[in-house]
Amino acid sequence: MTVPAFRAPKGTFDLVPPRGEAMLAVRDTLAAPLRSAGYGYVETPSFEETTLFARGVGESTDIVTKEMYSFTTRGGDDVTLRPEGTAPVLRAVLENGLHRGALPVKLWYSGSYYRYERPQKGRYRHFSQVGAEILGTEDPASDAELIVLAVDAYRALGLTGVRVLLNSLGSHESRPAYRAALQEYLRGLDLDEETARRVEINPLRVLDDKRPEIQKALASAPIITDFLSPSDRAHHDTVRSLLTSAGVDFEDDPRLVRGLDYYTRTLFEFVHDGLGSQSAVGGGGRYDGLSELIGGPALPGVGWALGADRTLLAMEAEGLPLPGVTGVQVFAVPLGDEAAAWAFGLVTQLRRAGVAADFATGGRGLKGAMKAADRSGAKYAVVVGARDLAEGVAQVKDLATGEQQAISLNGLVTHLQRLV
């Protein structure tokens, strides 16, 4: 076996059939509830100015300090492959003036994202997400709406093991008192130098530390929900009430944080226990101060990103059949040059009529062509030779039962449409 000269970069992967088709179907299903709810599609460049992420995501986050693919262009610009989608989408909204129109602005997007991480199952350096954002409103109904839409998408894929974790990080009214209490607690722990430094910069980042010894030390740490202001409490309670009324089960997780600094108030994560340590299949939250951080006007927002890669893994963990295209329905088997030209025309007509069709090429004999028909997954084969053409018929064979009948060429396309 020849060893290829080049391979996909470490921590990345190729999507090839049939998994590639399954991934497309997963992304389409995750996006379907958004499209039916009036969200418009937005697409941003794969790279942005590095400072957009440094300001928006947060200087103290692992994403900014350890995981970004940053480089200087030939023109001297410092750019970064996008590690997440919210900051670029908000930048696009501000640059294109969408916030000056009717509010709220509801958008969805899909694409590839990049983080330099230690590769492991469910965590790659190149990954695919479907995301959604609502900008221009502080209404807790928007928070609940996004969670419901995500749950509906997972249900549409047949997933039953996705759990919703919910928390509130409070706003500027609640955070200072909680930050002070958390810092006081953390300063009393025996922490390594890097973690101790993080306590002073952003103590909430310590809560996101997955090391067992850190999690054990945090067992008695103060929780944010004990510090919520009346307005933050009311906001959180409304979100919880709306989710309950929509039939969405959730688990209150007062220690839930995510690896981005811009979150305020509502925070949520979708997890699947079948994925092991990398259990999150999606998540998001509210980010009411992000616009000001990147130089824009006050523009509250809430959003989420759902991982297509991990969603596919979750489906496999539940033993669900992977979605995909229906595949070829009709396969033409021409015998001879004259029949090959005719088969090309038949396949073209079938495709234009909405029937998925393919045909044998390369002058294969009957045996080889029928093997190709079986491999295609087609339900029916259309076998035709010079004698059939002279008689004005084609042989339509049911590949499951082996039954075969001669059909007039004039009515062949209509007949096949009815069959499939």
Side-chain angles (χ1 to χ4, degrees):
M1 182 176 178
T2 303
V3 178
F6 299 99
R7 294 179 179 272
K10 183 178 180 180
T12 68
F13 56 90
D14 297 311
L15 280 173
V16 298
R19 196 173 185 81
E21 301 294 346
M23 186 69 76
L24 281 176
V26 166
R27 288 201 294 248
D28 287 345
T29 304
L30 293 177
L34 300 168
R35 303 181 74 172
S36 66
Y39 288 65
Y41 182 72
V42 61
E43 188 168 320
T44 62
S46 293
F47 57 90
E48 299 272 356
E49 291 184 41
T50 298
T51 51
L52 173 66
F53 299 114
R55 290 185 188 177
V57 175
E59 297 277 8
S60 68
T61 62
D62 283 347
I63 292 175
V64 171
T65 60
K66 301 177 181 179
E67 299 171 2
M68 294 203 311
Y69 279 96
S70 300
F71 56 96
T72 301
T73 68
R74 293 182 179 181
D77 298 321
D78 292 325
V79 299
T80 294
L81 297 180
R82 58 188 182 193
E84 60 92 40
T86 298
V89 168
L90 181 52
R91 189 271 309 153
V93 167
L94 297 174
E95 182 175 342
N96 292 278
L98 300 185
H99 61 298
R100 291 194 288 269
L103 296 176
V105 178
K106 295 186 176 184
L107 301 170
W108 77 275
Y109 51 94
S110 177
S112 294
Y113 298 83
Y114 312 88
R115 295 183 189 177
Y116 190 85
E117 300 185 280
R118 182 172 64 84
Q120 53 187 296
K121 185 176 181 180
R123 185 177 289 274
Y124 308 104
R125 294 175 177 176
H126 156 237
F127 52 96
S128 176
Q129 291 183 336
V130 173
E133 316 289 347
I134 300 179
L135 296 160
T137 177
E138 297 182 47
D139 195 327
S142 294
D143 309 28
E145 174 183 302
L146 280 169
I147 295 172
V148 170
L149 292 174
V151 169
D152 288 349
Y154 289 130
R155 288 176 178 173
L157 288 167
L159 285 165
T160 60
V162 175
R163 295 185 293 117
V164 181
L165 307 182
L166 184 67
N167 192 22
S168 175
L169 293 182
S171 65
H172 64 278
E173 297 178 18
S174 308
R175 293 278 273 276
Y178 176 63
R179 177 189 173 98
L182 182 59
Q183 281 181 319
E184 181 180 358
Y185 176 85
L186 294 173
R187 286 167 183 157
L189 301 178
D190 183 17
L191 302 173
D192 60 88
E193 184 178 340
E194 181 179 351
T195 305
R197 184 167 56 250
R198 185 167 289 179
V199 169
E200 304 308 319
I201 299 173
N202 187 347
L204 267 70
R205 293 274 57 76
V206 181
L207 299 180
D208 201 32
D209 195 315
K210 298 300 189 290
R211 289 176 293 176
E213 63 273 21
I214 298 296
Q215 286 300 308
K216 183 178 180 180
L218 292 172
S220 300
I223 57 176
I224 181 63
T225 47
D226 290 339
F227 291 80
L228 293 181
S229 67
S231 61
D232 288 344
R233 172 69 64 188
H235 187 281
H236 189 49
D237 287 345
T238 300
V239 173
R240 297 173 75 257
S241 176
L242 290 171
L243 292 178
T244 299
S245 68
V248 172
D249 295 327
F250 60 89
E251 302 170 28
D252 290 308
D253 185 351
R255 298 197 186 281
L256 176 66
V257 294
R258 291 177 56 78
L260 303 166
D261 278 356
Y262 51 59
Y263 286 125
T264 59
R265 284 187 166 175
T266 306
L267 186 72
F268 50 88
E269 195 161 80
F270 307 104
V271 298
H272 194 286
D273 296 330
L275 300 187
S277 61
Q278 303 300 327
S279 61
V281 291
R286 179 160 284 283
Y287 47 88
D288 290 344
L290 179 56
S291 179
E292 295 98 312
L293 283 176
I294 64 172
L299 190 68
V302 60
W304 52 238
L306 309 182
D309 318 292
R310 292 193 187 177
T311 298
L312 201 55
L313 291 175
M315 295 181 68
E316 291 174 330
E318 291 194 20
L320 295 171
L322 297 186
V325 296
T326 56
V328 173
Q329 298 168 300
V330 176
F331 195 93
V333 177
L335 304 176
D337 293 341
E338 182 183 4
W342 175 87
F344 183 87
L346 171 68
V347 167
T348 300
Q349 291 182 64
L350 287 172
R351 290 169 178 169
R352 289 173 175 171
V355 178
D358 200 358
F359 63 105
T361 58
R364 300 181 190 181
L366 178 60
K367 185 177 180 180
M370 290 306 294
K371 284 185 177 179
D374 288 333
R375 286 195 299 268
S376 75
K379 297 179 181 178
Y380 299 94
V382 178
V383 183
V384 64
R387 180 181 298 179
D388 296 303
L389 292 177
E391 295 176 0
V393 297
Q395 308 299 321
V396 177
K397 183 175 182 178
D398 186 320
L399 292 174
T401 66
E403 295 181 2
Q404 181 172 304
Q405 64 179 132
I407 303 297
S408 168
L409 298 183
N410 291 333
L412 183 59
V413 171
T414 301
H415 177 77
L416 290 170
Q417 282 181 299
R418 286 199 299 265
L419 286 179
V420 300

